[in-house]
mmCIF file of all heavy atoms in Angstrom:
data_model
loop_
_atom_site.group_PDB
_atom_site.id
_atom_site.type_symbol
_atom_site.label_atom_id
_atom_site.label_comp_id
_atom_site.label_asym_id
_atom_site.label_seq_id
_atom_site.Cartn_x
_atom_site.Cartn_y
_atom_site.Cartn_z
ATOM 1 N N ILE C 405 -50.151 7.756 -14.349
ATOM 2 C CA ILE C 405 -49.782 7.296 -13.012
ATOM 3 C C ILE C 405 -48.474 7.942 -12.552
ATOM 4 O O ILE C 405 -48.369 8.450 -11.426
ATOM 5 C CB ILE C 405 -49.655 5.760 -12.990
ATOM 6 C CG1 ILE C 405 -51.022 5.123 -13.253
ATOM 7 C CG2 ILE C 405 -49.083 5.281 -11.655
ATOM 8 C CD1 ILE C 405 -50.966 3.634 -13.531
ATOM 9 N N ALA C 435 -48.503 -2.186 -8.286
ATOM 10 C CA ALA C 435 -48.725 -1.526 -9.576
ATOM 11 C C ALA C 435 -50.200 -1.569 -9.966
ATOM 12 O O ALA C 435 -50.746 -0.592 -10.513
ATOM 13 C CB ALA C 435 -47.872 -2.200 -10.642
ATOM 14 N N LYS C 436 -50.859 -2.672 -9.678
ATOM 15 C CA LYS C 436 -52.295 -2.787 -9.982
ATOM 16 C C LYS C 436 -53.106 -1.796 -9.149
ATOM 17 O O LYS C 436 -54.064 -1.176 -9.641
ATOM 18 C CB LYS C 436 -52.772 -4.208 -9.706
ATOM 19 C CG LYS C 436 -52.223 -5.244 -10.673
ATOM 20 C CD LYS C 436 -52.691 -6.641 -10.320
ATOM 21 C CE LYS C 436 -52.145 -7.692 -11.286
ATOM 22 N NZ LYS C 436 -52.567 -9.068 -10.927
ATOM 23 N N LYS C 437 -52.737 -1.623 -7.885
ATOM 24 C CA LYS C 437 -53.439 -0.673 -7.030
ATOM 25 C C LYS C 437 -53.235 0.762 -7.535
ATOM 26 O O LYS C 437 -54.148 1.594 -7.495
ATOM 27 C CB LYS C 437 -52.957 -0.803 -5.585
ATOM 28 C CG LYS C 437 -53.388 -2.099 -4.908
ATOM 29 C CD LYS C 437 -52.915 -2.146 -3.463
ATOM 30 C CE LYS C 437 -53.294 -3.454 -2.796
ATOM 31 N NZ LYS C 437 -54.765 -3.665 -2.735
ATOM 32 N N LEU C 438 -52.017 1.053 -8.000
ATOM 33 C CA LEU C 438 -51.740 2.389 -8.546
ATOM 34 C C LEU C 438 -52.567 2.643 -9.805
ATOM 35 O O LEU C 438 -53.016 3.778 -10.059
ATOM 36 C CB LEU C 438 -50.240 2.523 -8.859
ATOM 37 C CG LEU C 438 -49.294 2.586 -7.649
ATOM 38 C CD1 LEU C 438 -47.847 2.505 -8.104
ATOM 39 C CD2 LEU C 438 -49.509 3.873 -6.845
ATOM 40 N N LEU C 439 -52.756 1.610 -10.597
ATOM 41 C CA LEU C 439 -53.573 1.745 -11.801
ATOM 42 C C LEU C 439 -55.010 2.141 -11.431
ATOM 43 O O LEU C 439 -55.638 2.961 -12.107
ATOM 44 C CB LEU C 439 -53.558 0.428 -12.577
ATOM 45 C CG LEU C 439 -54.404 0.366 -13.850
ATOM 46 C CD1 LEU C 439 -53.941 1.407 -14.870
ATOM 47 C CD2 LEU C 439 -54.343 -1.035 -14.455
ATOM 48 N N LYS C 440 -55.532 1.569 -10.344
ATOM 49 C CA LYS C 440 -56.903 1.861 -9.928
ATOM 50 C C LYS C 440 -57.024 3.240 -9.294
ATOM 51 O O LYS C 440 -58.029 3.944 -9.482
ATOM 52 C CB LYS C 440 -57.383 0.807 -8.939
ATOM 53 C CG LYS C 440 -57.583 -0.567 -9.538
ATOM 54 C CD LYS C 440 -58.043 -1.560 -8.483
ATOM 55 C CE LYS C 440 -58.232 -2.945 -9.066
ATOM 56 N NZ LYS C 440 -58.678 -3.925 -8.031
ATOM 57 N N THR C 441 -56.030 3.636 -8.527
ATOM 58 C CA THR C 441 -56.141 4.877 -7.736
ATOM 59 C C THR C 441 -55.615 6.121 -8.443
ATOM 60 O O THR C 441 -56.032 7.227 -8.126
ATOM 61 C CB THR C 441 -55.408 4.735 -6.404
ATOM 62 O OG1 THR C 441 -54.005 4.438 -6.668
ATOM 63 C CG2 THR C 441 -56.010 3.631 -5.559
ATOM 64 N N ARG C 442 -54.700 5.943 -9.404
ATOM 65 C CA ARG C 442 -54.036 7.119 -9.971
ATOM 66 C C ARG C 442 -54.189 7.284 -11.465
ATOM 67 O O ARG C 442 -53.648 8.227 -12.062
ATOM 68 C CB ARG C 442 -52.554 7.083 -9.615
ATOM 69 C CG ARG C 442 -52.313 7.254 -8.118
ATOM 70 C CD ARG C 442 -50.845 7.311 -7.780
ATOM 71 N NE ARG C 442 -50.627 7.520 -6.345
ATOM 72 C CZ ARG C 442 -50.517 8.704 -5.762
ATOM 73 N NH1 ARG C 442 -50.603 9.812 -6.488
ATOM 74 N NH2 ARG C 442 -50.320 8.800 -4.466
ATOM 75 N N SER C 443 -54.885 6.388 -12.131
ATOM 76 C CA SER C 443 -55.120 6.529 -13.574
ATOM 77 C C SER C 443 -56.584 6.840 -13.828
ATOM 78 O O SER C 443 -57.457 6.010 -13.536
ATOM 79 C CB SER C 443 -54.702 5.238 -14.290
ATOM 80 O OG SER C 443 -55.094 5.315 -15.644
ATOM 81 N N VAL C 444 -56.850 8.036 -14.375
ATOM 82 C CA VAL C 444 -58.234 8.433 -14.680
ATOM 83 C C VAL C 444 -58.806 7.535 -15.753
ATOM 84 O O VAL C 444 -59.960 7.056 -15.662
ATOM 85 C CB VAL C 444 -58.283 9.902 -15.118
ATOM 86 C CG1 VAL C 444 -59.715 10.286 -15.545
ATOM 87 C CG2 VAL C 444 -57.775 10.801 -14.033
ATOM 88 N N GLY C 446 -58.033 4.569 -16.397
ATOM 89 C CA GLY C 446 -58.094 3.174 -16.001
ATOM 90 C C GLY C 446 -59.252 2.884 -15.076
ATOM 91 O O GLY C 446 -59.502 1.735 -14.738
ATOM 92 N N ARG C 447 -59.984 3.905 -14.657
ATOM 93 C CA ARG C 447 -61.096 3.690 -13.731
ATOM 94 C C ARG C 447 -62.345 3.275 -14.452
ATOM 95 O O ARG C 447 -62.604 3.704 -15.553
ATOM 96 C CB ARG C 447 -61.348 4.974 -12.927
ATOM 97 C CG ARG C 447 -60.186 5.319 -11.986
ATOM 98 C CD ARG C 447 -60.401 6.686 -11.350
ATOM 99 N NE ARG C 447 -59.216 7.055 -10.555
ATOM 100 C CZ ARG C 447 -59.018 8.267 -10.077
ATOM 101 N NH1 ARG C 447 -59.893 9.233 -10.296
ATOM 102 N NH2 ARG C 447 -57.949 8.530 -9.392
#
Side-chain angles (χ1 to χ4, degrees):
I405 295 168
K436 291 178 180 178
K437 290 182 182 298
L438 290 171
L439 178 61
K440 291 179 181 180
T441 59
R442 293 184 178 270
S443 172
V444 176
R447 294 173 185 168

